[in-house]
Amino acid sequence: MDVDALPFSPACLRNQGPILSLLRRWLAPGARVLEVGSGSGQHAIHMARHLPGVRWQPSERQEALAGLAARISLEGGEALAPGAQVAAPLLLDVTQPQWPAGPFEAVFTANTLHIMPAAAVPHLLAGGARVLAADGLLLIYGPFRYGERHTAASNEAFDVHLRQLDPAMGVRDAEAIQREAAGLGLHLQADASMPANNRLLVFRKNAEGRGG
């Protein structure tokens, strides 16, 4: 597949810099990272080009796997940071039990919770908790509500748009996610403000109250 024909996300291009700046803080050198819902693969390539030693494992559902695999095949070995690796992408549907065995030092996902069905979100949290190493991190990027209230008019409009497309989609409530995660041994370490009214939620496995 030609580079110009690869799947492309303008949102990834806009947010990869701010996300990278926080991953530099939270990820230990040489971390094994499972990315859930890698989409176009732009994050996988960008992070591996800037995080020395990172071992990045992309994943996607069946319908998006071919485009992701094409990008990783074409760009996954180019200009990577010292010691960094991008593995061939795996098939992963968060609602199914066949998750990669791990353990991973981090599970990362960006802009996926609002487009997956609401019923799938607990599966993502439980699967992430299951494959994380002790003290591992679950990092979730995207727009969120708090106490069922939106943080910006643009997020509210986006939520309305999503629910018109599919009532099962929508901007999720960060406090509800935090409660669900805590029941799985995942404790909130940071809730970072990001550009365009997004957030990065950072949970640590079985380490309540520890910072990054």
Side-chain angles (χ1 to χ4, degrees):
M1 184 181 291
D2 184 81
V3 172
D4 293 335
L6 293 174
F8 177 79
S9 167
C12 282
L13 189 63
R14 291 192 300 268
N15 65 38
Q16 61 189 17
I19 291 174
L20 173 63
S21 68
L22 285 186
L23 293 189
R24 288 188 193 277
R25 173 189 172 191
W26 286 98
L27 294 184
R32 295 163 292 180
V33 181
L34 170 64
E35 183 183 11
V36 177
S38 299
S40 65
Q42 290 164 251
H43 280 148
I45 300 301
H46 186 75
M47 303 311 164
R49 286 178 174 173
H50 292 86
L51 295 172
V54 74
R55 289 171 285 172
W56 199 275
Q57 176 60 70
S59 71
E60 252 302 345
R61 296 181 65 177
Q62 183 65 58
E63 59 267 27
L65 196 60
L68 171 62
R71 181 178 295 280
I72 301 307
S73 177
L74 283 173
E75 299 183 350
E78 297 178 1
L80 302 186
Q85 302 172 13
V86 182
L90 298 175
L91 174 65
L92 176 59
D93 179 336
V94 300
T95 66
Q96 300 302 311
Q98 292 80 22
W99 281 61
F104 297 93
E105 280 72 49
V107 173
F108 167 77
T109 192
N111 286 327
T112 60
L113 270 66
H114 56 268
I115 59 173
M116 67 175 60
V121 174
H123 290 281
L124 183 147
L125 298 174
R130 194 165 59 247
V131 303
L132 279 173
D135 273 0
L137 300 173
L138 172 64
L139 305 108
I140 306 175
Y141 172 89
F144 294 97
R145 295 174 292 150
Y146 291 81
E148 300 302 330
R149 295 190 177 190
H150 292 282
T151 61
S154 59
N155 282 1
E156 184 173 8
F158 182 49
D159 186 49
V160 170
H161 171 69
L162 289 170
R163 294 177 191 276
Q164 288 173 340
L165 294 174
D166 184 343
M169 296 196 300
V171 175
R172 309 304 174 199
D173 188 89
E175 294 171 351
I177 290 171
Q178 183 178 346
R179 291 191 295 271
E180 181 88 24
L184 296 164
L186 300 170
H187 302 287
L188 188 69
Q189 306 296 289
D191 181 349
S193 177
M194 304 292 283
N197 301 307
N198 289 304
R199 313 290 299 185
L200 182 69
L201 307 181
V202 181
F203 298 90
R204 192 184 294 275
K205 183 175 180 178
N206 296 325
E208 189 170 9
R210 289 182 53 175

